[in-house]
Structure formats: C-alpha cells, structure tokens
Amino acid sequence: MTRWSVVPCACPAELGATPTRDGVAFAVFSRHGERVHLCLFDEDGETEVARQPLPVRSGDIHHGFVPGARPGLRYGLRVEGPWQPEQGHRFDASKLLVDPYARSVDRQFRWDPRLAQRGVDSAGLLPLGIVTAHEAAQIVAPRSPGFIYELSVRAFSMRQPAVPEALRGTLAALTEPALIAHLKKLGVSHVELMPVVAWMDERHLPPLGLRNAWGYNPVNFFALDPRLAPNGGADLAALCATYDRAGIGVILDVVFNHTAESDEHGATISLRGLDTAVYYRHAEDDPGRLINDTGCGHTIALDSAPVVRLALDALRHWRRLGVSGFRFDLGTVLGRTATGFSPEAPFFSALLQDPDLSQSILIAEPWDIGPGGYRLGEFPAPFAEWNGRYRDDVRRFWRGDSGMAGALATRLAGSSDLFAARHRGPQASVNFVTAHDGFTLADLVSYAAKHNEANGEGNRDGDNDSHSWNDGVEGPSGDPAIEATRRRDARALLATLFLSRGVPMLTAGDEFGRTQRGNNNAYAQDNDITWLDWASVDGALIDFVAELMRLRRAHPVLGQHSFLTGNGDPPDGLWLKPDGQRVADGEWSKLDAFCLQLNDAEESLLIAINRGREAMPLSFSTGAWTRLLASNEGAAGELPPRSVSLWRRTA
C-alpha cells in the first residue's frame, strides 16, 4: 500500500471524481449501501495500492478527499450492504465497481462469467475509472437539423482506404478530409453517432465468437469506449470542433434505458452493486423482480431523482464537449413511471427546465417493448421523434400493398395526424426508410425475408415483418434486369424521403448501395457484414442523393415547418391525379399514382409519384412546367413507372 489516504471533506457539488488544486474529491450515491470503499490502483492498473472507506455520508452521498492525488489516478469502488434479492438489494463487496460518473476508463469491457458470480473478487476483470480533469467547455449553439446521417463509428471507417489504418474505427477517423468531403457532398447537416460510450458484449456473444458492433449495451454514461476514443473526451471534443467548422453538428445516440448488467443472472459491475433498488425499476408488488420494458433484462428507473440526475449530468458533460444534441434509444423509458408513460414524467420535467439542454436537439425513439410502449407523437416539445409510421407506410406503398396512397400522402405532407394535435410541426418527424436496426436500403428491395443466421440465434432474432420485397429473386440475382429494377426502387424510396416534409435521416452507406447480406439485426457483426465497403460504392446513387438534398435546400417550400392547410390563392397544397384533376376523398384507396402541388409566395412545385409498372401521361392544370428531377427516366410529359419526379412551374 502507498501513501494515499482518504480524509473527510465537505460534500462536493459534483458526483464522481473531481480534481482540485490539492487533490481529488470523490462522491458516490448509494441510498441502501452501508459503506462505500474507494480502491486506488497503481499507474498500470494492475495492483490495488489503497482501499479505504469514504469517511463522510451526507444523506445518500458518500464522500471523501484524497490529498495529493492528480488526474490519471486509476480507481474503482466497492460497496457493503445487504444481500436481499427478494427486496431488490444485491450488494457484494467482493465486486469491484466502475464509478458511473467516471469520465474515462483504462480499457474496454469484456464479458467474464466471474463478473456474475457472487463472492468472487472481480478486480482485474473489468476496467478502472481514470480521474480526469474537466475539459474546457465548447458548447455549440445547435443548428436546426436539415439532414441527419446515422453512422456507426467503427463500421463507417474500418474499410475506408483514405483513413490511416491506425485511425480506422475511431472518432479521429471521422475527421479525415475524405470523410468530411463525403458528408459535405451529400449535404449532411448533422451526423448521428450510434453509441460511443463504453459498452460490453452481451454474455451470449463471446461463446459464439461474436462481438457487439452497435454499442447499445453501455456500462457507464460518461466514459467513451477506448476502442473509439483512445484519448478519451478530447477525441470527441476535437471531432465536434472540426465538424462545427465544416457546418455539421454532432448528435449522440444515448442509451438511458438499460445497462450491460442485464437480468438477475448478469454482471455486477456498476449500478447493480451501488444500489440496484434505486437505479433499476422493480415490480410494485414484488420488489425483487426486475421490470423488463427493454428486452435487455431490466429497465433504468428514470422516475427516480438520483437516476434523473445521473442522466442529466451525462448530457451536460457531452454538451460541454461540443455535442449538438441527443437521440434517446427506447425513448418511452424516459417517460415511464409506476403508472405508465407520461410526457410530464420526472425526466422530461427536469430536462425541459434546463436552460441549455432544453435548447439542444432532442430526438426520441418513441417506443419500448413494455405495456403501452408505442408512444409515437406523444413526446413533449421540443422533442422530435423517429417516425416509425413513416418508415412502414412508405415501404408498404412502394411494395405494392393495396390502399396505401392516402397513408403515403399523409407522410409526404409531414404526418400531421401524429404531431398537429400537440402543436408540433413537421420538424417533429424524423423521417426514415431504413435505420441501423433493420434492412439496409439495398437489402430492403432485394430480400423478402430476413437472413440472420450469422447471429447464432437460428434466425429467430430480428423483425419478421420488414415490409420488404425482392423482385422475384431472394438476394443477389446476377440478372441485370432485376438489379436495374432494384436500383430504380431504391431511388424512388430515396426521392420520397427527401421530398417529404419533416427531417430526413439516412443511414451511412445507403447512399451508395451497402448490403448486410439480408441480415436485419446485425448488432453482433463487428466485421465485413456491417463495415462499409468503400471499394464498391455506387457513385451514381451518391450523386442522386446529393442532388436530392441540393434541391431540398434550393426550394424551401419542400421543407417548410408548417402543415398544409389547403388555404390561400393558390392553395398551399393541392392533391392531384396525374390527369391534373383533384383527388376526391373516396379515390385514395384505389390510387397507384398521385401528385402534390406545393405553392408559396416564391414558386410552385409538383411532386409526382407513380408506383405502377407502366408509364402514365402527366397533365398540368395550368402553366408551363420544367422537370427538375426524376428517380426513373421517362419521356417528356409522362410519369415514368416506379418513379418520383419533381417539377417546377416556369410560367
């Protein structure tokens, strides 16, 4: 043991490890824990050199001060308390715990069965927290999203030849000029990074030789995963600063619904050992039973004040590093209380009172798997929401499902049925056709069923109803005609997305035809299945997406932040048939083709859609019109088969 000692101090304003001029203050929340021990390690993190209890308890905060300690010190925690699983208490002082407020960890997390075995010392089996000085704040004023580009840090750069090999798979790789140039060409306004905080593989993956590729299994909400950020928060701060200069914002995908500790058979590595009864939701009539609204074995208790504080402190930490906003995975959990979902739940109430966080970009995935979990359209302003109805209705229309024209028209116009009642405009709708969880765009039009055998679960995992199609051949066809048909359908889907009101979101690689070989749940494929193949890009499709975004920016009427009213002279929106006549209410269920004429003080545009397999004549009621774009080529004055086209009135 060394000279380190832990002495009493006043209760720090911040939880976690806070460096000062004279040492480091430590503060840890545990309501039901009886004593919290601070464990200090040598500079290699191999040998425990001091273990002392935090000497002061102020309410539920255990705290102390280590004189002479400096940033770089490695540490962990142990907590004494009752082992009463039937009451929701699972304290085990043999378990070394990661501080949930640690802003850096010294290595990646790895699953080991001993992490779940009671009474087995876990020192050496998991990372240590590293005392870290606060980075200089560089809060960025968020810009309104215009085009969100979802990406996995590792998958985006692992096969990118323009990135030095040593940087591939890291945040630093994203700052390489070639990747920024690609984003700029597309017209991306914001990148949405899939989870970047330290995560651990689910326990069933290592025996299968698989690794978690997405990161939706976090341990800590403050520490970046060392694989992505070898220099910790400095790497994210550098990325945010570089992108801000390029006019691109950074959105983090955060997982505040569960942790890698899983169910009652899972690991004890942080929150479970600190105070599981507070941090995780338990049944009202059975305090020993974990509630599983996430499908991951438990649910974080965001109706508990200490947990709300933990989440908000994490968000503030990321904002200080330059992040523009957040996408909340399984966002319904944010609003869950003992009585169900509420837009006035404690997390929302606290978040929306924060003068900075309430002005940042806030995007909810508006569902979980618990009772009443699908809450699309019910989140409080200023939240935007992933619009799963948009995804499904667009797919079903283009697949050829009957009676879908009216649903597509509603999505094209901004989904007023979902957002108008709460006085939220089209910008509340994050529109997408594909996302990380599901088929890629190329696979959506190439596979009628999922092919997830590589995940080791007998193809049981993943969505069984993806509204996909294959044009007669499952997977790669080798038939030029079928491949051309699939490219045509992909372009129609992209044009629909970018010409719709709301915020378009595209998943990285869908702009150049990436495939996951029919896997629609590739969370465990940290390999060529998910890594983008930059050597096989469809350059013409990239150009098409860039042109769509250029047109969207050049013609503001396409992305206005208001719903159509049908008022004005001419009306702000007219629904027409290809012959130029207005669509009657009873006709929508029979239509395979229709048009939306948009009018404002500056110009009139016409979006023409035909999902049929034959061209149709297109008539204009008034004036002369010029075609600006077509997803499928056709003769002048016609609506090509399986196409979306955009026209502008010139006289």
Side-chain angles (χ1 to χ4, degrees), residues 503-517:
V503 180
M505 184 187 79
L506 192 69
T507 297
D510 280 352
E511 75 276 17
F512 57 67
R514 75 180 180 111
T515 178
Q516 291 179 171
R517 308 169 198 168

Side-chain angles (χ1 to χ4, degrees), residues 102-106 130 132-133 135 170-172 196 222-239 317-318 321:
R103 293 193 293 274
S104 183
V105 292
D106 65 352
I130 302 176
T132 305
E135 295 87 354
T170 68
L171 290 170
V196 293
F222 290 77
L224 294 167
D225 194 287
R227 290 168 289 184
L228 309 185
N231 302 304
D235 285 345
L236 180 61
L239 170 66
H317 169 67
W318 301 123
L321 294 183

